[in-house]
Amino acid sequence: MTPSDGLHGSSLPTPAEAIALQKELAGRVRLCPLPARVRVVAAADLSYLPSKELIAVVLAFSWPSLELLETAHVRRPVEFPYVPGLLSFRELPAVTAAFEKLRHRPDVLLCDGQGLAHPRRFGLACHVGLVLDLPTVGCAKKRLCGDHDPVGTEKGCRSVLTLQGDPVGYVYRSRTGVKPIYVSPGHKADLESSLDLVERCVRRYRIPEPLRLAHNTVTRLKKNAHSP
DNA sequence: GCGACAG
DNA sequence: ATCTTGTCGC
């Protein structure tokens, strides 16, 4: 899949066209358990520069030890506005570009944003997974849409996130006393295996280690992009 | 019309 | 996401 991902045309899609594209592409997302054999997990994150540019980074880790194996990043101009629900059209190009620089071929990629827990069931993680044809999991710090019962305050508590009556993800308390995170499957993943993977990625902080380190890395790259 | 609204 | 200092708490 490449010509119809909405980002390889001569011009970028308008918000209206992007929405139509999501409705079409959502039908190609596969909901199934993550691979039984995972050896490498990756995480992507990005940061915006004041110059209308952004830096995307992808880190690869061994699984389940989570030792850093490789880092790749790209810097490029931002070409799509931020519109709630259309985040992937803004970040996907940079994420896939950074991913292609990786020498390792991750078994699964963690994305900083929603997957299925999206108005049209096509969040960033779904779009990235479809374009790369790779299992992906969405892990967001805030809710975009959906409803759920209150989540217990203890580490490990979770509530199903539903949209129009359908389960689309989990609201998960990764650490006691902190705000919960939103986990939803991207491509070639499902609710249970996605949450299981994320749970096993949590160490001492609220954000799963791979994404936390990806964030630290991109923040570092940004700092050095100012002084040089 | 009044909120809600990933990064 | 980003612009920003100090401050409260483990």
Side-chain angles (χ1 to χ4, degrees), chain A residues 37-99:
Chain A
R37 301 311 175 195
V38 174
R39 292 199 171 194
V40 178
V41 296
D45 189 32
L46 37 175
S47 79
Y48 295 79
L49 304 179
S51 56
K52 281 182 173 291
E53 292 181 293
L54 60 74
I55 293 177
V57 64
V58 176
L59 302 190
F61 302 81
S62 59
W63 179 266
S65 57
L66 296 186
E67 288 171 53
L68 181 61
L69 298 174
E70 184 184 1
T71 298
H73 77 275
V74 298
R75 173 176 175 169
R76 54 171 54 197
V78 178
E79 17 60 276
F80 198 87
Y82 170 70
V83 179
L86 301 181
L87 180 64
S88 67
F89 291 88
R90 181 178 171 81
E91 307 191 332
L92 177 66
V95 173
T96 57
F99 183 87

Coordinates of all heavy atoms in Angstrom, one line a residue, chain A residues 37-99:
Chain A
R37 N 6.0 -14.3 18.5 CA 7.5 -14.2 18.7 C 8.0 -12.8 18.5 O 8.1 -12.4 17.3 CB 8.2 -15.1 17.8 CG 7.9 -16.6 18.0 CD 8.0 -17.0 19.4 NE 7.6 -18.4 19.7 CZ 7.3 -18.8 20.9 NH1 7.3 -18.0 21.9 NH2 6.9 -20.1 21.0
V38 N 8.2 -12.1 19.6 CA 8.7 -10.7 19.4 C 10.2 -10.7 19.9 O 10.5 -11.1 21.0 CB 7.9 -9.7 20.3 CG1 8.5 -8.3 20.3 CG2 6.5 -9.6 19.8
R39 N 11.0 -10.2 19.0 CA 12.5 -10.1 19.4 C 12.9 -8.6 19.5 O 13.8 -8.3 20.2 CB 13.3 -10.8 18.4 CG 13.1 -12.3 18.4 CD 14.3 -13.0 17.7 NE 14.3 -14.4 17.9 CZ 15.3 -15.2 17.6 NH1 16.5 -14.6 17.1 NH2 15.3 -16.5 17.7
V40 N 12.2 -7.8 18.7 CA 12.6 -6.4 18.6 C 11.3 -5.5 18.7 O 10.4 -5.7 17.9 CB 13.4 -6.0 17.3 CG1 13.7 -4.5 17.3 CG2 14.7 -6.8 17.3
V41 N 11.3 -4.6 19.6 CA 10.2 -3.6 19.7 C 10.8 -2.2 19.4 O 11.9 -1.9 19.7 CB 9.6 -3.6 21.1 CG1 9.0 -5.0 21.4 CG2 10.6 -3.2 22.1
A42 N 10.0 -1.4 18.8 CA 10.4 0.0 18.4 C 9.4 1.0 18.9 O 8.3 0.6 19.2 CB 10.6 0.1 16.9
A43 N 9.8 2.2 19.1 CA 9.0 3.3 19.6 C 9.3 4.5 18.8 O 10.5 4.8 18.5 CB 9.1 3.5 21.0
A44 N 8.3 5.3 18.4 CA 8.5 6.5 17.6 C 7.9 7.7 18.4 O 6.9 7.6 19.0 CB 7.9 6.4 16.3
D45 N 8.6 8.8 18.2 CA 8.1 10.1 18.9 C 8.7 11.2 18.1 O 9.7 11.1 17.3 CB 8.5 10.2 20.3 CG 7.8 11.4 21.0 OD1 6.7 11.7 20.6 OD2 8.4 12.0 21.9
L46 N 8.1 12.4 18.2 CA 8.6 13.6 17.5 C 8.4 14.8 18.3 O 7.7 14.9 19.2 CB 8.0 13.7 16.1 CG 6.6 13.4 15.7 CD1 6.3 13.7 14.3 CD2 6.3 11.9 15.9
S47 N 9.2 15.9 17.8 CA 9.1 17.1 18.5 C 9.1 18.2 17.4 O 9.7 18.0 16.4 CB 10.3 17.3 19.5 OG 11.4 17.7 18.8
Y48 N 8.5 19.3 17.7 CA 8.4 20.4 16.7 C 9.3 21.5 17.0 O 9.5 22.0 18.2 CB 6.9 20.9 16.7 CG 5.9 19.9 16.2 CD1 5.5 18.9 17.1 CD2 5.5 19.9 14.9 CE1 4.6 17.9 16.6 CE2 4.6 18.9 14.4 CZ 4.2 17.9 15.3 OH 3.3 17.0 14.8
L49 N 10.0 22.0 16.0 CA 10.9 23.1 16.1 C 10.2 24.4 15.8 O 9.1 24.4 15.1 CB 12.1 23.0 15.1 CG 12.9 21.7 15.2 CD1 13.9 21.7 14.1 CD2 13.5 21.5 16.5
P50 N 10.6 25.5 16.3 CA 9.9 26.8 16.1 C 10.0 27.2 14.6 O 9.3 28.1 14.2 CB 10.7 27.8 17.0 CG 12.0 27.2 17.1 CD 11.8 25.7 17.2
S51 N 10.8 26.5 13.8 CA 11.0 26.8 12.4 C 10.0 26.0 11.5 O 10.3 25.8 10.3 CB 12.4 26.5 12.0 OG 12.7 25.2 12.3
K52 N 8.8 25.6 12.0 CA 7.9 24.9 11.2 C 8.5 23.6 10.7 O 8.2 23.1 9.6 CB 7.4 25.7 10.0 CG 6.3 26.7 10.3 CD 5.8 27.5 9.1 CE 4.6 28.4 9.4 NZ 3.4 27.6 9.7
E53 N 9.4 23.0 11.5 CA 10.0 21.7 11.1 C 9.8 20.8 12.3 O 9.4 21.2 13.4 CB 11.5 21.9 11.0 CG 12.0 22.8 9.8 CD 13.5 22.9 9.8 OE1 14.1 23.4 10.7 OE2 14.1 22.3 8.8
L54 N 10.0 19.5 12.0 CA 9.9 18.6 13.1 C 11.0 17.5 13.0 O 11.5 17.3 12.0 CB 8.5 17.9 13.1 CG 8.0 17.1 11.9 CD1 8.7 15.8 11.8 CD2 6.5 16.9 12.0
I55 N 11.2 16.9 14.1 CA 12.2 15.8 14.2 C 11.5 14.6 14.6 O 10.7 14.6 15.6 CB 13.3 16.2 15.2 CG1 14.1 17.4 14.7 CG2 14.3 15.0 15.4 CD1 15.2 17.8 15.7
A56 N 11.7 13.5 13.9 CA 11.0 12.3 14.3 C 12.1 11.3 14.6 O 13.2 11.3 13.9 CB 10.2 11.7 13.1
V57 N 11.9 10.5 15.6 CA 12.9 9.5 16.0 C 12.3 8.2 16.2 O 11.1 8.1 16.6 CB 13.6 10.0 17.3 CG1 12.6 10.0 18.5 CG2 14.7 9.0 17.7
V58 N 13.0 7.1 15.9 CA 12.5 5.8 16.1 C 13.6 5.0 16.8 O 14.8 5.0 16.3 CB 12.2 5.0 14.8 CG1 11.7 3.6 15.1 CG2 11.0 5.8 14.1
L59 N 13.3 4.4 17.9 CA 14.3 3.6 18.6 C 13.9 2.1 18.6 O 12.8 1.8 18.7 CB 14.4 4.1 20.1 CG 14.7 5.5 20.4 CD1 14.9 5.6 21.9 CD2 15.9 6.0 19.7
A60 N 14.9 1.3 18.5 CA 14.7 -0.2 18.5 C 15.3 -0.8 19.7 O 16.4 -0.4 20.2 CB 15.4 -0.8 17.2
F61 N 14.5 -1.7 20.4 CA 15.0 -2.3 21.6 C 14.8 -3.9 21.5 O 14.0 -4.4 20.7 CB 14.1 -1.9 22.8 CG 14.1 -0.4 23.0 CD1 13.3 0.4 22.3 CD2 14.9 0.1 24.0 CE1 13.2 1.8 22.5 CE2 14.9 1.5 24.3 CZ 14.0 2.3 23.5
S62 N 15.7 -4.5 22.3 CA 15.6 -6.0 22.3 C 14.4 -6.3 23.2 O 13.9 -5.5 24.0 CB 16.8 -6.5 23.0 OG 16.9 -6.0 24.3
W63 N 13.8 -7.4 22.9 CA 12.6 -7.8 23.7 C 12.8 -9.2 24.3 O 13.3 -10.1 23.6 CB 11.3 -7.8 22.8 CG 10.1 -8.2 23.6 CD1 9.6 -9.5 23.7 CD2 9.3 -7.4 24.4 NE1 8.5 -9.5 24.5 CE2 8.2 -8.2 24.9 CE3 9.3 -6.0 24.7 CZ2 7.3 -7.7 25.8 CZ3 8.3 -5.5 25.5 CH2 7.3 -6.4 26.0
P64 N 12.5 -9.3 25.6 CA 11.8 -8.4 26.5 C 12.8 -7.6 27.4 O 12.3 -6.8 28.3 CB 10.9 -9.3 27.4 CG 11.8 -10.5 27.5 CD 12.5 -10.7 26.2
S65 N 14.0 -7.7 27.2 CA 15.0 -7.0 28.0 C 15.0 -5.5 27.8 O 15.5 -4.7 28.7 CB 16.4 -7.5 27.8 OG 16.7 -7.4 26.4
L66 N 14.5 -5.0 26.7 CA 14.4 -3.6 26.4 C 15.8 -2.9 26.5 O 15.9 -1.8 27.0 CB 13.4 -2.9 27.4 CG 12.0 -3.3 27.3 CD1 11.1 -2.5 28.2 CD2 11.5 -3.2 25.8
E67 N 16.8 -3.5 25.9 CA 18.1 -2.8 25.8 C 18.1 -2.1 24.4 O 17.6 -2.7 23.4 CB 19.2 -3.9 25.8 CG 19.4 -4.5 27.2 CD 20.3 -5.6 27.3 OE1 21.4 -5.5 26.8 OE2 19.9 -6.7 27.8
L68 N 18.6 -0.9 24.4 CA 18.6 -0.1 23.2 C 19.5 -0.7 22.2 O 20.7 -1.0 22.4 CB 19.1 1.3 23.5 CG 19.1 2.3 22.3 CD1 17.7 2.5 21.7 CD2 19.7 3.6 22.7
L69 N 19.0 -0.9 21.0 CA 19.7 -1.6 19.9 C 20.1 -0.5 18.8 O 21.2 -0.6 18.3 CB 18.9 -2.6 19.2 CG 18.4 -3.8 20.0 CD1 17.5 -4.7 19.2 CD2 19.6 -4.6 20.5
E70 N 19.2 0.4 18.5 CA 19.5 1.3 17.5 C 18.6 2.6 17.5 O 17.5 2.5 18.1 CB 19.3 0.6 16.1 CG 19.6 1.4 14.9 CD 19.2 0.6 13.6 OE1 18.7 -0.5 13.7 OE2 19.5 1.1 12.5
T71 N 19.1 3.6 17.0 CA 18.4 4.9 16.9 C 18.4 5.5 15.5 O 19.5 5.4 14.9 CB 19.0 5.9 17.9 OG1 18.9 5.4 19.2 CG2 18.2 7.3 17.8
A72 N 17.3 6.0 15.0 CA 17.3 6.7 13.7 C 16.4 7.9 13.8 O 15.4 7.9 14.6 CB 16.7 5.7 12.7
H73 N 16.7 8.9 13.0 CA 15.9 10.1 13.1 C 15.9 10.9 11.8 O 16.9 10.7 11.0 CB 16.3 11.0 14.2 CG 17.5 11.8 14.0 ND1 18.8 11.3 14.2 CD2 17.7 13.1 13.5 CE1 19.7 12.2 13.9 NE2 19.1 13.3 13.5
V74 N 15.0 11.8 11.6 CA 14.9 12.6 10.4 C 14.4 14.0 10.9 O 13.7 14.1 11.9 CB 14.0 12.1 9.3 CG1 14.5 10.7 8.8 CG2 12.5 12.0 9.9
R75 N 14.7 15.0 10.1 CA 14.3 16.3 10.3 C 13.7 16.8 9.0 O 14.3 16.7 8.0 CB 15.5 17.2 10.7 CG 15.1 18.7 10.9 CD 16.3 19.5 11.4 NE 16.0 20.9 11.4 CZ 16.8 21.8 12.0 NH1 17.9 21.4 12.6 NH2 16.5 23.1 12.0
R76 N 12.5 17.4 9.1 CA 11.8 17.8 7.9 C 10.8 18.9 8.2 O 10.3 19.0 9.3 CB 11.3 16.7 7.1 CG 10.3 15.8 7.9 CD 9.6 14.8 7.0 NE 10.6 14.0 6.2 CZ 10.2 13.3 5.2 NH1 9.0 13.3 4.8 NH2 11.1 12.6 4.5
P77 N 10.3 19.6 7.2 CA 9.3 20.6 7.4 C 7.9 20.0 7.7 O 7.6 18.9 7.3 CB 9.3 21.4 6.1 CG 9.7 20.4 5.1 CD 10.8 19.6 5.8
V78 N 7.1 20.8 8.4 CA 5.8 20.3 8.7 C 4.9 20.8 7.6 O 5.0 21.9 7.2 CB 5.3 21.0 10.0 CG1 3.9 20.5 10.3 CG2 6.2 20.6 11.2
E79 N 4.1 19.9 7.0 CA 3.3 20.2 5.8 C 1.8 20.1 6.0 O 1.0 20.4 5.1 CB 3.7 19.4 4.6 CG 4.6 18.2 4.9 CD 3.8 17.2 5.8 OE1 3.9 17.3 7.0 OE2 3.2 16.3 5.2
F80 N 1.4 19.6 7.2 CA -0.1 19.5 7.4 C -0.4 20.1 8.7 O 0.3 20.0 9.7 CB -0.4 18.0 7.4 CG -1.9 17.7 7.1 CD1 -2.4 17.6 5.9 CD2 -2.7 17.5 8.2 CE1 -3.8 17.4 5.6 CE2 -4.1 17.3 8.0 CZ -4.6 17.2 6.7
P81 N -1.5 20.8 8.8 CA -1.9 21.4 10.1 C -2.4 20.4 11.1 O -2.7 19.3 10.8 CB -3.1 22.4 9.7 CG -3.7 21.6 8.6 CD -2.5 21.1 7.8
Y82 N -2.4 20.8 12.4 CA -2.8 19.9 13.4 C -4.3 20.1 13.5 O -4.9 21.1 13.8 CB -2.2 20.3 14.8 CG -2.9 19.5 15.9 CD1 -2.7 18.1 15.9 CD2 -3.8 20.0 16.8 CE1 -3.4 17.3 16.8 CE2 -4.5 19.3 17.7 CZ -4.3 17.9 17.7 OH -5.0 17.1 18.6
V83 N -5.0 19.0 13.3 CA -6.5 18.9 13.4 C -6.8 17.7 14.2 O -6.4 16.6 13.8 CB -7.1 18.8 12.0 CG1 -8.6 18.8 12.1 CG2 -6.7 20.0 11.1
P84 N -7.5 17.8 15.3 CA -7.9 16.6 16.1 C -8.5 15.6 15.2 O -9.5 15.9 14.5 CB -8.8 17.2 17.1 CG -8.3 18.6 17.3 CD -8.0 19.0 15.9
G85 N -8.0 14.4 15.1 CA -8.5 13.3 14.3 C -7.8 13.1 13.0 O -7.9 12.1 12.3
L86 N -6.9 14.1 12.7 CA -6.1 14.0 11.5 C -4.6 14.1 11.7 O -3.8 14.4 10.9 CB -6.5 15.1 10.5 CG -7.9 15.2 10.0 CD1 -8.2 16.3 9.1 CD2 -8.3 13.9 9.4
L87 N -4.2 13.7 13.0 CA -2.8 13.8 13.4 C -1.9 13.0 12.5 O -0.8 13.5 12.2 CB -2.7 13.3 14.8 CG -1.3 13.3 15.4 CD1 -0.8 14.7 15.5 CD2 -1.3 12.6 16.7
S88 N -2.3 11.8 12.0 CA -1.4 11.0 11.2 C -0.9 11.7 9.9 O 0.2 11.5 9.4 CB -2.0 9.7 10.8 OG -3.1 9.8 10.0
F89 N -1.8 12.6 9.3 CA -1.4 13.3 8.1 C -0.3 14.3 8.3 O 0.4 14.7 7.4 CB -2.6 13.9 7.4 CG -3.6 12.9 6.9 CD1 -4.6 12.4 7.7 CD2 -3.5 12.4 5.6 CE1 -5.5 11.4 7.3 CE2 -4.3 11.4 5.2 CZ -5.3 10.9 6.0
R90 N -0.1 14.6 9.6 CA 0.9 15.6 10.0 C 2.2 14.9 10.4 O 3.3 15.3 10.0 CB 0.4 16.4 11.2 CG 1.3 17.5 11.7 CD 0.5 18.2 12.8 NE 1.2 19.1 13.7 CZ 1.5 20.4 13.3 NH1 1.1 20.8 12.1 NH2 2.2 21.1 14.1
E91 N 2.1 13.7 11.1 CA 3.3 13.0 11.6 C 3.7 11.8 10.8 O 4.9 11.4 10.9 CB 3.0 12.7 13.0 CG 2.6 13.9 13.9 CD 2.7 13.6 15.4 OE1 2.5 12.5 15.8 OE2 2.9 14.6 16.1
L92 N 2.8 11.1 10.1 CA 3.2 9.9 9.4 C 4.4 10.0 8.5 O 5.3 9.1 8.6 CB 2.0 9.4 8.6 CG 2.2 8.2 7.7 CD1 2.5 7.0 8.6 CD2 1.0 7.9 6.9
P93 N 4.5 11.0 7.6 CA 5.7 11.0 6.7 C 7.0 11.0 7.4 O 7.9 10.3 7.0 CB 5.5 12.4 6.0 CG 4.0 12.5 6.0 CD 3.6 12.1 7.4
A94 N 7.1 11.7 8.5 CA 8.4 11.8 9.3 C 8.6 10.5 10.0 O 9.8 10.0 10.0 CB 8.3 12.9 10.3
V95 N 7.6 9.9 10.5 CA 7.8 8.6 11.3 C 8.2 7.5 10.3 O 9.1 6.7 10.6 CB 6.4 8.2 11.9 CG1 6.6 6.8 12.5 CG2 6.1 9.2 13.0
T96 N 7.6 7.4 9.2 CA 8.0 6.3 8.2 C 9.4 6.6 7.7 O 10.1 5.6 7.5 CB 7.0 6.2 7.1 OG1 6.9 7.5 6.4 CG2 5.6 5.9 7.6
A97 N 9.7 7.8 7.5 CA 11.0 8.1 7.0 C 12.1 7.7 8.0 O 13.1 7.1 7.6 CB 11.2 9.6 6.7
A98 N 11.9 8.0 9.2 CA 12.8 7.6 10.3 C 12.9 6.1 10.4 O 14.0 5.5 10.5 CB 12.4 8.3 11.6
F99 N 11.7 5.5 10.3 CA 11.7 4.1 10.4 C 12.5 3.4 9.3 O 13.2 2.4 9.6 CB 10.2 3.6 10.3 CG 10.0 2.1 10.5 CD1 9.9 1.6 11.8 CD2 10.0 1.2 9.4 CE1 9.7 0.2 12.0 CE2 9.9 -0.1 9.6 CZ 9.7 -0.7 10.9

